[in-house]
Amino acid sequence: MLIKLKEFLSSDQLSYRVSENFVIDDEDFLSKTHLDKSIVFAGEFYKVDESVILNGTVMYTVKDKCARCLDEFDNKIETKFEALIVKQLDEDSESDEIQLKITDGCVDLQETIKQIIYLSMPMKSLCSKDCKGICPNCGVNLNNDNCKCEDNLTDPRFDKLRDLLKD
Ligand SMILES: [Zn+2]
Ligand SMILES: [Zn+2]
């Protein structure tokens, strides 16, 4: 995933917007992350003084499992990052700023985007924020089915109250 910056850098434009569909071409990475290989990258390169900065957004889809109902679902994630475009990578840099090396007027985003995806992968997700989960009694997925457990189960705390009402 190469982005050509040559024309932008030699022009007097101050910013340059890109939005592209990319395919991640790394089977190992895809199977490890359960990632859908098509991702969208959108970004804007800015000239600031002598530097060029990229404000980027990566959108990807990952096969996830809901922590509440255990169903598999497509989890769509959008994550933002900022990177500095450099001629030479500064390995000793103390800051955790992302650096992108420019070669022949182009930057290659593949490795950076893979890192961004790794770092932004959710640990625990829900298929929807209203997910009803599974019934702890019969194990039915309450998003798809209703069960009768709640009607039949009696809460022992109410037994005493019920006794009080009895004659
Ligand atoms: Zn769920
Ligand atoms: Zn149930």
Side-chain angles (χ1 to χ4, degrees):
M1 38 180 92
L2 282 180
I3 307 261
K4 290 190 190 110
L5 293 178
K6 211 174 220 160
E7 274 174 41
F8 165 59
L9 292 179
S10 53
S11 74
D12 46 15
Q13 267 179 282
L14 289 177
S15 70
Y16 173 57
R17 224 181 252 274
V18 221
S19 174
E20 281 187 52
N21 295 300
F22 280 120
V23 167
I24 292 198
D25 185 18
D26 180 340
E27 285 303 324
D28 196 40
F29 179 81
L30 293 174
S31 70
K32 241 186 252 164
T33 51
H34 306 287
L35 192 82
D36 188 291
K37 64 175 186 273
S38 334
I39 61 152
V40 178
F41 164 76
E44 192 157 12
F45 294 86
Y46 293 95
K47 289 175 187 160
V48 182
D49 300 325
E50 296 295 295
S51 338
V52 177
I53 290 169
L54 164 65
N55 270 323
T57 305
V58 182
M59 284 157 271
Y60 61 94
T61 305
V62 59
K63 276 260 172 290
D64 215 335
K65 200 175 212 177
C66 175
R68 210 178 274 166
C69 70
L70 308 179
D71 250 10
E72 279 204 350
F73 69 104
D74 286 339
N75 198 356
K76 292 188 197 313
I77 317 270
E78 189 178 312
T79 184
K80 293 186 189 307
F81 69 98
E82 197 180 282
L84 185 67
I85 313 303
V86 293
K87 284 207 187 78
Q88 204 63 50
L89 294 179
D90 180 5
E91 312 276 356
D92 304 326
S93 170
E94 297 274 299
S95 80
D96 45 14
E97 190 168 45
I98 302 168
Q99 299 176 23
L100 277 170
K101 192 175 179 220
I102 185 158
T103 315
D104 294 331
C106 292
V107 285
D108 186 357
L109 286 172
Q110 169 114 331
E111 287 309 312
T112 302
I113 284 183
K114 272 155 62 181
Q115 260 178 38
I116 303 283
I117 290 175
Y118 250 137
L119 293 174
S120 64
M121 292 216 118
M123 304 296 283
K124 213 176 185 187
S125 338
L126 296 179
C127 62
S128 96
K129 70 177 196 317
D130 305 317
C131 173
K132 298 187 189 114
I134 49 182
C135 170
N137 191 50
C138 69
V140 109
N141 183 338
L142 297 171
N143 298 306
N144 311 325
D145 280 305
N146 287 316
C147 67
K148 293 269 184 290
C149 296
E150 208 155 306
D151 302 340
N152 299 335
L153 281 182
T154 52
D155 190 324
R157 285 175 300 177
F158 295 132
D159 285 354
K160 277 226 169 73
L161 286 175
R162 225 169 277 131
D163 283 346
L164 287 177
L165 293 172
K166 263 186 219 154
D167 271 57

